[in-house]
Amino acid sequence: MGLYFYTYMLIFLSLYIHCSTVNSRSLDHISLAPSLAPEPAPSPEIQLSPRVFDVRSFGSVGDGVTDDTEGFKMAWDSACQSDKPSILLVPKHYSFLIQSTIFTGSCGNSVVFQIEGTIMAPDGPSVWPKGMSKRQWLVFYRVNGMSLQGGGVIDGKGEKWWDLPCKPHKGPNGTTLPGPCDSPVTIRFFMSTNVSVKGIKVKNSPQFNFRFDGCNGVHIDSLNIKAPSLSPNTDGIHIENTNDVTIYNSLISNGDDCVSIGAGSYNVDIKNITCGPSHGISIGSLGMRNTRACVSNITVTDSVIRHSDNGVRIKTWQGGFGSVSKVKFYNIHMDNVRNPIMIDQYYCQTKGGCRNQTAAVHISDISYEKIRGTYDARSPAMHLGCSNSVPCTNLTFYDVELMPSQGQIMATPFCWNAYGALQTLTIPPIFCLLEGNPESVPDTEIDQC
């Protein structure tokens, strides 16, 4: 009995001490009721996988002979009307013959036009369908957020278009004959926004390779454009009334301007372009038939121009009005270029010359910095031919070094009514540049821009 008694007493004392300790605690040390379990974090939005529309699923054959136009149209319509992101696929190892076609937006989603195979144009004007426009081939109209990309090829089949009688013949004294002269632009974007073009190879375009009209937000990267140096009017990339444009990391070899910037274009950034043989990188031509032209905020940087008729050029017609302003050419290497730096306000395409006029597009705030390399000494390294009545103003030169590609004789730079400043000594020296500003610049509706 004694053992049970002592065991009972020990249990009693333990309970007494525990209760006393709990009662002596302040309320601050009493555990609160457990809080409710946290609600699970909202799950991230599920990314919709793009739906693939292979043109072969819509009847396109891809043998390079069968007309695959209708299959492409149906694939585009299906991709454009899809309720989730879409890929229109042009698969590898197939060649698709396509007639002149307009791909129309706006689409209900983002569409990727993925070219991995080859798209071919009809082989020349004789097989171009009657009733179809000969001015354009593949047109994207009112598309938004579209990407044209891939490692494939677009073949414009331009050889027979270049040999039309109305085009300059390839002889030393090129002549033309009367007759129909329309030739198709290979790819045209019209009134479109947020467009991306990347990685495509384009060859043998009948006329311009790419043309952007009335577009906003154009992003071009890693294009490879190729046509013979004597192919007429095969501009690589032309923009008109288009703004917020980037053109990066591309190779362009053709028979006209690598990049041409037309009226109504602004905020254009060109970087890391290898250009040539070609006619160089041009702003213009502007002001044709006494029209207004406004171009501003253009930069061309970190690029190479080789074996070309021109380097960086601004060209305007007599009689136009408006302005070209805020243009920067920076870190450009010239390799045997005939006219590395050129302003031509007497641009004319007729052999008899064009009539001199009092109105002109005003050119101002143009800078040339780190322009180096070699030039073909048949022409001066710098040609600054400005209007008689509306001088060029605020032209600046810094670290410009251009040497003749052969021989030691340097052609003297040419200036006419050009005002600006030499921030460093140039090679060759531009002694003809007028210092400061002209006494007055005629008010020729410049402020309309």
Side-chain angles (χ1 to χ4, degrees):
M1 174 163 178
L3 180 61
Y4 288 111
F5 175 78
Y6 285 113
T7 302
Y8 176 80
M9 289 299 292
L10 288 171
I11 295 172
F12 175 80
L13 288 171
S14 298
L15 290 171
Y16 177 80
I17 293 169
H18 174 73
C19 292
S20 299
T21 303
V22 171
N23 289 334
S24 67
R25 288 178 183 167
S26 65
L27 291 175
D28 291 340
H29 292 87
I30 298 175
S31 297
L32 298 175
S35 60
L36 296 175
E39 294 183 2
S43 59
E45 185 178 348
I46 297 174
Q47 297 295 322
L48 296 175
S49 297
R51 185 178 175 189
V52 177
F53 297 85
D54 188 325
V55 295
R56 292 175 302 166
S57 300
F58 295 85
S60 293
V61 177
D63 60 4
V65 178
T66 305
D67 185 350
D68 290 320
T69 308
E70 287 305 314
F72 270 66
K73 286 182 178 179
M74 288 190 290
W76 171 264
D77 289 343
S78 297
C80 186
Q81 294 166 11
S82 175
D83 57 358
K84 62 180 182 179
S86 305
I87 297 175
L88 187 155
L89 177 62
V90 181
K92 275 185 178 181
H93 311 304
Y94 293 89
S95 296
F96 299 91
L97 174 62
I98 305 298
Q99 307 292 345
S100 179
T101 305
I102 299 177
F103 300 101
T104 303
S106 63
C107 300
N109 60 85
S110 60
V111 177
V112 175
F113 202 117
Q114 186 80 22
I115 301 177
E116 298 299 337
T118 299
I119 298 177
M120 301 163 48
D123 190 19
S126 63
V127 296
W128 201 264
K130 293 182 179 179
M132 284 192 178
S133 172
K134 291 183 178 179
R135 295 187 177 184
Q136 55 198 26
W137 177 32
L138 303 177
V139 181
F140 296 93
Y141 174 62
R142 290 191 179 276
V143 296
N144 178 29
M146 179 201 145
S147 296
L148 177 65
Q149 63 186 43
V153 176
I154 298 175
D155 186 352
K157 295 284 185 179
E159 297 91 334
K160 294 177 182 177
W161 296 94
W162 307 330
D163 290 334
L164 287 172
C166 59
K167 299 293 177 70
H169 289 177
K170 297 181 180 180
N173 299 313
T175 58
T176 62
L177 297 174
C181 210
D182 287 342
S183 300
V185 172
T186 292
I187 302 168
R188 184 186 184 200
F189 284 88
F190 183 46
M191 297 182 69
S192 297
T193 58
N194 299 322
V195 171
S196 173
V197 182
K198 185 174 182 179
I200 301 294
K201 299 179 181 67
V202 183
K203 67 177 185 179
N204 297 334
S205 178
Q207 204 203 43
F208 292 3
N209 287 266
F210 285 88
R211 180 176 178 124
F212 297 86
D213 290 283
C215 296
N216 178 21
V218 175
H219 309 289
I220 297 171
D221 199 341
S222 304
L223 292 189
N224 188 320
I225 296 173
K226 189 171 182 61
S229 60
L230 294 178
S231 56
N233 303 117
T234 52
D235 294 51
I237 300 167
H238 178 77
I239 65 173
E240 192 97 11
N241 294 310
T242 293
N243 58 80
D244 298 331
V245 178
T246 59
I247 303 173
Y248 296 157
N249 310 317
S250 296
L251 303 174
I252 305 174
S253 174
N254 60 332
D256 213 306
D257 297 328
C258 287
V259 180
S260 53
I261 300 170
S265 299
Y266 58 91
N267 296 344
V268 179
D269 186 24
I270 301 170
K271 187 174 184 178
N272 194 26
I273 300 297
T274 299
C275 171
S278 70
H279 292 183
I281 297 173
S282 294
I283 297 173
S285 59
L286 305 174
M288 186 178 184
R289 300 189 185 94
N290 304 334
T291 55
R292 180 173 72 104
C294 300
V295 174
S296 64
N297 294 333
I298 312 295
T299 61
V300 182
T301 62
D302 304 331
S303 294
V304 175
I305 302 175
R306 54 170 53 107
H307 303 287
S308 297
D309 287 352
N310 305 291
V312 290
R313 175 171 59 157
I314 302 172
K315 50 182 179 177
T316 70
W317 294 80
Q318 285 284 298
F321 60 99
S323 72
V324 176
S325 65
K326 299 178 182 177
V327 178
K328 183 175 183 177
F329 300 109
Y330 174 82
N331 194 28
I332 299 173
H333 179 77
M334 304 286 180
D335 180 7
N336 194 21
V337 174
R338 186 160 184 179
N339 298 289
I341 294 174
M342 188 171 199
I343 295 176
D344 180 9
Q345 291 213 268
Y346 300 86
Y347 184 72
C348 182
Q349 291 181 326
T350 60
K351 291 185 178 180
C354 300
R355 183 172 60 87
N356 200 354
Q357 300 184 47
T358 56
V361 176
H362 181 216
I363 295 175
S364 65
D365 300 324
I366 317 295
S367 70
Y368 302 90
E369 184 174 346
K370 290 189 177 181
I371 314 295
R372 299 168 178 165
T374 60
Y375 68 99
D376 183 333
R378 290 178 297 171
S379 300
M382 297 88 151
H383 177 107
L384 310 175
C386 302
S387 164
N388 281 335
S389 54
V390 184
C392 302
T393 58
N394 199 24
L395 310 180
T396 60
F397 295 82
Y398 176 87
D399 196 9
V400 175
E401 296 182 3
L402 294 166
M403 304 292 291
S405 56
Q406 293 181 346
Q408 302 297 320
I409 299 175
M410 289 190 183
T412 303
F414 171 82
C415 307
W416 184 260
N417 215 14
Y419 287 78
L422 303 179
Q423 296 181 348
T424 62
L425 182 66
T426 65
I427 300 175
I430 316 177
F431 294 131
C432 57
L433 186 69
L434 301 173
E435 294 183 357
N437 293 300
E439 293 183 3
S440 65
V441 177
D443 183 10
T444 55
E445 305 186 58
I446 292 169
D447 56 354
Q448 285 194 15
C449 290

